[in-house]
Amino acid sequence: MDKHKLIVDSVVVRFGHKTVLSGGYITSETGLVTGLLGRNGAGKSCMFRALMGGLRVENVMVSIDESPIDRQTIGQHIKYLPQGRLIPEGMQLHRAFDLYDVNYWTFVNRVPRFSRHYDSPIYELSGGEARLAELYLVLLSDAPFYILDEPFTQVDPVNIDEVKALIRERSKDHGVIVTDHNYDAISSVADNLFVIADGYTSPVRSRDDLVRHGYLRAED
């Protein structure tokens, strides 16, 4: 398997006089799961939206294997699960899979209960079902890198291990970046961690780094 490396660097995000990110940075490598931690409002989603082109920002640099990526083609290299809804409410589920060039029945083979939802618009699914379908849609699509923003949100607790197993499986041939409020889920699935605090991203080498950056309390 060829190895590939994604670098997102020098992300600067400001809203008026408020600076959200002044040194956003993260890397991902095929074969690894990278976790991104940070408190609410730290800028995790802003960094993802910036690199995917969904947010106008002051600066962002994206490269794969040291070659800058044209922002018009970013979706060919990175598939992104946003924090909010990915599939439009009125779209039939199989149509979304067609658009991502993912065979719907490959998904059904993994999660048989979705066989009855082939023609279902996304609004007919529960929040947990919709999130699970979107997760599989992204992770089964063809791209070297995946970014998952809060993938465990709304997912039924009985399916959390299933989602973690899928992430680990797909990371064998892809690079995966994951952020979520579920610290235990992130720390158990990630090979390496970054944390955003005070507008900057830093690598996490030990629990002490998370305490120092205010993500965890010393007594936790």
Side-chain angles (χ1 to χ4, degrees):
M1 178 189 73
D2 293 334
K3 287 281 190 178
H4 300 286
K5 184 172 184 177
L6 166 71
I7 298 178
V8 183
D9 197 6
S10 304
V11 183
V12 179
V13 178
R14 293 190 177 96
F15 299 110
H17 296 294
K18 180 181 179 181
T19 299
V20 178
L21 290 171
S22 48
Y25 170 85
I26 197 166
T27 66
S28 176
E29 295 184 40
T30 50
L32 297 176
V33 178
T34 297
L36 178 62
L37 302 172
R39 291 191 172 276
N40 285 340
K44 303 183 298 298
S45 294
C46 284
M47 184 158 70
F48 295 155
R49 291 171 59 201
L51 76 96
M52 295 304 299
L55 181 67
R56 294 187 65 181
V57 296
E58 192 167 310
N59 191 67
V60 59
M61 299 173 63
V62 183
S63 66
I64 294 178
D65 301 333
E66 301 184 352
S67 297
I69 298 302
D70 183 347
R71 306 310 303 287
Q72 301 301 313
T73 65
I74 194 76
Q76 298 176 18
H77 306 280
I78 305 170
K79 290 297 187 289
Y80 171 48
L81 178 73
Q83 186 177 23
R85 178 68 66 234
L86 172 65
I87 303 173
E89 292 291 329
M91 181 175 287
Q92 291 178 312
L93 201 52
H94 79 89
R95 177 60 177 154
F97 277 73
D98 289 345
L99 290 173
Y100 272 67
D101 199 25
V102 177
N103 188 308
Y104 186 78
W105 300 109
T106 299
F107 167 50
V108 170
N109 284 338
R110 291 168 173 265
V111 194
R113 65 184 179 276
F114 277 86
S115 62
R116 66 182 183 272
H117 290 306
Y118 180 83
D119 289 319
S120 298
I122 197 73
Y123 70 78
E124 290 187 355
L125 277 62
S126 70
E129 287 174 330
R131 196 58 170 171
L132 196 62
E134 291 175 338
L135 269 163
Y136 274 87
L137 175 63
V138 169
L139 287 171
L140 295 178
S141 61
D142 184 21
F145 296 96
Y146 305 125
I147 293 177
L148 310 176
D149 193 350
E150 299 196 14
F152 305 109
T153 300
Q154 293 190 302
V155 173
D156 192 307
V158 301
N159 293 319
I160 293 294
D161 286 341
E162 176 186 338
V163 171
K164 291 195 293 185
L166 178 64
I167 291 172
R168 293 300 305 172
E169 174 194 332
R170 298 299 286 166
S171 72
K172 293 176 182 178
D173 300 306
H174 304 78
V176 185
I177 298 175
V178 186
T179 186
D180 202 277
H181 294 301
N182 189 332
Y183 169 69
D184 290 336
I186 290 291
S187 59
S188 66
V189 77
D191 298 296
N192 53 17
L193 293 170
F194 288 82
V195 61
I196 292 181
D198 301 320
Y200 291 88
T201 311
S202 304
V204 176
R205 297 182 178 85
S206 70
R207 186 180 179 282
D208 290 342
D209 290 329
L210 295 176
V211 173
R212 180 164 52 86
H213 289 292
Y215 182 77
L216 294 178
R217 296 175 300 179
E219 62 271 20
D220 285 344

Short mmCIF file of all heavy atoms in Angstrom, two decimals, residues 43-74:
data_model
loop_
_atom_site.label_atom_id
_atom_site.label_comp_id
_atom_site.label_asym_id
_atom_site.label_seq_id
_atom_site.Cartn_x
_atom_site.Cartn_y
_atom_site.Cartn_z
N GLY A 43 -12.55 25.72 17.84
CA GLY A 43 -12.26 25.91 16.42
C GLY A 43 -12.08 24.65 15.62
O GLY A 43 -11.64 24.70 14.47
N LYS A 44 -12.46 23.50 16.18
CA LYS A 44 -12.29 22.23 15.46
C LYS A 44 -13.10 22.22 14.17
O LYS A 44 -12.56 21.93 13.09
CB LYS A 44 -12.70 21.06 16.36
CG LYS A 44 -11.96 20.98 17.69
CD LYS A 44 -12.35 19.77 18.50
CE LYS A 44 -13.81 19.74 18.90
NZ LYS A 44 -14.19 20.88 19.77
N SER A 45 -14.38 22.50 14.26
CA SER A 45 -15.23 22.49 13.07
C SER A 45 -14.83 23.59 12.10
O SER A 45 -14.89 23.40 10.88
CB SER A 45 -16.70 22.64 13.46
OG SER A 45 -17.16 21.51 14.18
N CYS A 46 -14.41 24.73 12.62
CA CYS A 46 -13.96 25.84 11.75
C CYS A 46 -12.77 25.41 10.92
O CYS A 46 -12.68 25.75 9.73
CB CYS A 46 -13.60 27.07 12.60
SG CYS A 46 -15.02 27.99 13.22
N MET A 47 -11.84 24.66 11.51
CA MET A 47 -10.67 24.23 10.76
C MET A 47 -11.07 23.26 9.64
O MET A 47 -10.58 23.37 8.52
CB MET A 47 -9.63 23.57 11.67
CG MET A 47 -8.35 23.19 10.93
SD MET A 47 -6.92 23.00 12.00
CE MET A 47 -7.37 21.51 12.86
N PHE A 48 -11.98 22.35 9.94
CA PHE A 48 -12.44 21.41 8.92
C PHE A 48 -13.17 22.14 7.80
O PHE A 48 -12.95 21.87 6.62
CB PHE A 48 -13.36 20.36 9.54
CG PHE A 48 -12.69 19.46 10.52
CD1 PHE A 48 -13.42 18.82 11.52
CD2 PHE A 48 -11.32 19.21 10.47
CE1 PHE A 48 -12.82 17.98 12.43
CE2 PHE A 48 -10.70 18.38 11.37
CZ PHE A 48 -11.46 17.75 12.35
N ARG A 49 -14.05 23.05 8.15
CA ARG A 49 -14.79 23.80 7.13
C ARG A 49 -13.84 24.67 6.30
O ARG A 49 -14.03 24.84 5.10
CB ARG A 49 -15.87 24.65 7.78
CG ARG A 49 -17.01 23.85 8.39
CD ARG A 49 -17.91 24.73 9.22
NE ARG A 49 -18.49 25.81 8.40
CZ ARG A 49 -18.97 26.93 8.91
NH1 ARG A 49 -18.93 27.15 10.21
NH2 ARG A 49 -19.50 27.84 8.10
N ALA A 50 -12.81 25.20 6.94
CA ALA A 50 -11.84 26.02 6.22
C ALA A 50 -11.10 25.21 5.17
O ALA A 50 -10.95 25.63 4.02
CB ALA A 50 -10.84 26.63 7.21
N LEU A 51 -10.64 24.02 5.54
CA LEU A 51 -9.85 23.24 4.58
C LEU A 51 -10.72 22.66 3.48
O LEU A 51 -10.26 22.45 2.36
CB LEU A 51 -9.04 22.16 5.29
CG LEU A 51 -9.73 20.90 5.78
CD1 LEU A 51 -9.57 19.79 4.74
CD2 LEU A 51 -9.13 20.43 7.10
N MET A 52 -12.03 22.44 3.77
CA MET A 52 -12.92 21.89 2.76
C MET A 52 -13.54 22.98 1.88
O MET A 52 -14.26 22.68 0.92
CB MET A 52 -14.04 21.08 3.42
CG MET A 52 -13.57 19.84 4.15
SD MET A 52 -12.61 18.68 3.12
CE MET A 52 -13.80 18.23 1.86
N GLY A 53 -13.28 24.24 2.20
CA GLY A 53 -13.78 25.33 1.38
C GLY A 53 -15.16 25.82 1.76
O GLY A 53 -15.75 26.64 1.05
N GLY A 54 -15.69 25.35 2.89
CA GLY A 54 -17.02 25.76 3.31
C GLY A 54 -17.04 26.98 4.19
O GLY A 54 -18.10 27.40 4.64
N LEU A 55 -15.86 27.55 4.43
CA LEU A 55 -15.76 28.73 5.28
C LEU A 55 -14.68 29.63 4.72
O LEU A 55 -13.55 29.20 4.49
CB LEU A 55 -15.41 28.31 6.72
CG LEU A 55 -15.28 29.40 7.77
CD1 LEU A 55 -16.64 30.05 8.03
CD2 LEU A 55 -14.72 28.82 9.07
N ARG A 56 -15.04 30.89 4.47
CA ARG A 56 -14.04 31.84 3.99
C ARG A 56 -13.14 32.24 5.14
O ARG A 56 -13.60 32.68 6.20
CB ARG A 56 -14.72 33.08 3.40
CG ARG A 56 -15.53 32.79 2.15
CD ARG A 56 -16.05 34.06 1.51
NE ARG A 56 -14.95 34.90 1.02
CZ ARG A 56 -15.12 36.07 0.43
NH1 ARG A 56 -16.35 36.56 0.27
NH2 ARG A 56 -14.09 36.76 0.01
N VAL A 57 -11.86 32.06 4.94
CA VAL A 57 -10.91 32.30 6.02
C VAL A 57 -9.77 33.17 5.53
O VAL A 57 -9.57 33.37 4.33
CB VAL A 57 -10.34 30.97 6.57
CG1 VAL A 57 -11.45 30.15 7.19
CG2 VAL A 57 -9.63 30.18 5.49
N GLU A 58 -9.01 33.67 6.48
CA GLU A 58 -7.88 34.53 6.16
C GLU A 58 -6.73 33.75 5.52
O GLU A 58 -6.07 34.22 4.61
CB GLU A 58 -7.41 35.23 7.43
CG GLU A 58 -6.44 36.36 7.19
CD GLU A 58 -6.25 37.21 8.43
OE1 GLU A 58 -7.26 37.62 9.04
OE2 GLU A 58 -5.08 37.45 8.79
N ASN A 59 -6.54 32.52 6.01
CA ASN A 59 -5.45 31.72 5.45
C ASN A 59 -5.66 30.24 5.77
O ASN A 59 -6.16 29.89 6.83
CB ASN A 59 -4.10 32.15 6.04
CG ASN A 59 -2.93 31.55 5.30
OD1 ASN A 59 -2.69 31.88 4.14
ND2 ASN A 59 -2.18 30.67 5.95
N VAL A 60 -5.29 29.39 4.83
CA VAL A 60 -5.27 27.95 5.05
C VAL A 60 -4.39 27.34 3.97
O VAL A 60 -4.45 27.74 2.80
CB VAL A 60 -6.68 27.32 5.02
CG1 VAL A 60 -7.38 27.58 3.69
CG2 VAL A 60 -6.62 25.81 5.30
N MET A 61 -3.56 26.39 4.36
CA MET A 61 -2.69 25.69 3.41
C MET A 61 -2.95 24.19 3.53
O MET A 61 -2.94 23.65 4.64
CB MET A 61 -1.21 26.00 3.70
CG MET A 61 -0.86 27.48 3.57
SD MET A 61 0.83 27.85 4.11
CE MET A 61 1.77 26.88 2.92
N VAL A 62 -3.19 23.54 2.38
CA VAL A 62 -3.47 22.11 2.37
C VAL A 62 -2.56 21.44 1.34
O VAL A 62 -2.49 21.88 0.19
CB VAL A 62 -4.95 21.82 2.00
CG1 VAL A 62 -5.22 20.32 2.08
CG2 VAL A 62 -5.89 22.58 2.91
N SER A 63 -1.88 20.39 1.75
CA SER A 63 -1.02 19.65 0.82
C SER A 63 -1.12 18.17 1.09
O SER A 63 -1.42 17.74 2.21
CB SER A 63 0.44 20.10 0.94
OG SER A 63 0.97 19.76 2.21
N ILE A 64 -0.91 17.38 0.04
CA ILE A 64 -0.83 15.93 0.15
C ILE A 64 0.48 15.51 -0.49
O ILE A 64 0.75 15.86 -1.64
CB ILE A 64 -2.02 15.22 -0.52
CG1 ILE A 64 -3.32 15.56 0.22
CG2 ILE A 64 -1.81 13.71 -0.54
CD1 ILE A 64 -4.56 14.96 -0.41
N ASP A 65 1.28 14.79 0.27
CA ASP A 65 2.61 14.35 -0.21
C ASP A 65 3.42 15.54 -0.71
O ASP A 65 4.08 15.49 -1.76
CB ASP A 65 2.46 13.29 -1.30
CG ASP A 65 1.70 12.07 -0.81
OD1 ASP A 65 1.74 11.80 0.40
OD2 ASP A 65 1.07 11.40 -1.64
N GLU A 66 3.32 16.65 0.04
CA GLU A 66 4.08 17.88 -0.19
C GLU A 66 3.64 18.64 -1.44
O GLU A 66 4.31 19.60 -1.84
CB GLU A 66 5.59 17.60 -0.24
CG GLU A 66 6.13 16.97 1.05
CD GLU A 66 7.63 16.77 1.02
OE1 GLU A 66 8.24 16.98 -0.06
OE2 GLU A 66 8.20 16.42 2.07
N SER A 67 2.54 18.25 -2.06
CA SER A 67 2.01 18.96 -3.23
C SER A 67 0.76 19.73 -2.81
O SER A 67 -0.18 19.13 -2.26
CB SER A 67 1.66 18.00 -4.36
OG SER A 67 2.81 17.32 -4.82
N PRO A 68 0.72 21.05 -3.04
CA PRO A 68 -0.47 21.83 -2.69
C PRO A 68 -1.70 21.30 -3.41
O PRO A 68 -1.62 20.87 -4.56
CB PRO A 68 -0.11 23.25 -3.16
CG PRO A 68 1.38 23.27 -3.23
CD PRO A 68 1.79 21.88 -3.63
N ILE A 69 -2.82 21.32 -2.71
CA ILE A 69 -4.07 20.82 -3.27
C ILE A 69 -4.92 21.99 -3.75
O ILE A 69 -5.15 22.96 -3.02
CB ILE A 69 -4.86 20.01 -2.22
CG1 ILE A 69 -4.05 18.78 -1.80
CG2 ILE A 69 -6.21 19.58 -2.77
CD1 ILE A 69 -3.67 17.85 -2.93
N ASP A 70 -5.36 21.89 -5.01
CA ASP A 70 -6.28 22.88 -5.58
C ASP A 70 -7.59 22.81 -4.80
O ASP A 70 -8.21 21.75 -4.70
CB ASP A 70 -6.52 22.55 -7.05
CG ASP A 70 -7.41 23.56 -7.75
OD1 ASP A 70 -8.04 24.38 -7.06
OD2 ASP A 70 -7.48 23.52 -8.99
N ARG A 71 -8.02 23.95 -4.28
CA ARG A 71 -9.23 23.96 -3.45
C ARG A 71 -10.46 23.53 -4.22
O ARG A 71 -11.46 23.10 -3.64
CB ARG A 71 -9.43 25.34 -2.84
CG ARG A 71 -8.22 25.87 -2.07
CD ARG A 71 -7.67 24.87 -1.07
NE ARG A 71 -8.69 24.45 -0.12
CZ ARG A 71 -9.16 25.21 0.87
NH1 ARG A 71 -8.70 26.43 1.03
NH2 ARG A 71 -10.09 24.76 1.68
N GLN A 72 -10.43 23.64 -5.55
CA GLN A 72 -11.57 23.22 -6.35
C GLN A 72 -11.71 21.70 -6.41
O GLN A 72 -12.78 21.19 -6.76
CB GLN A 72 -11.45 23.79 -7.77
CG GLN A 72 -11.36 25.31 -7.85
CD GLN A 72 -12.57 25.98 -7.24
OE1 GLN A 72 -13.70 25.59 -7.53
NE2 GLN A 72 -12.35 26.99 -6.42
N THR A 73 -10.64 20.99 -6.11
CA THR A 73 -10.67 19.53 -6.21
C THR A 73 -10.51 18.84 -4.85
O THR A 73 -10.27 17.64 -4.80
CB THR A 73 -9.56 19.04 -7.16
OG1 THR A 73 -8.26 19.37 -6.60
CG2 THR A 73 -9.70 19.69 -8.54
N ILE A 74 -10.65 19.61 -3.77
CA ILE A 74 -10.40 19.05 -2.44
C ILE A 74 -11.27 17.84 -2.15
O ILE A 74 -10.86 16.88 -1.50
CB ILE A 74 -10.59 20.14 -1.36
CG1 ILE A 74 -10.00 19.69 -0.02
CG2 ILE A 74 -12.05 20.53 -1.21
CD1 ILE A 74 -8.52 19.74 0.06
#
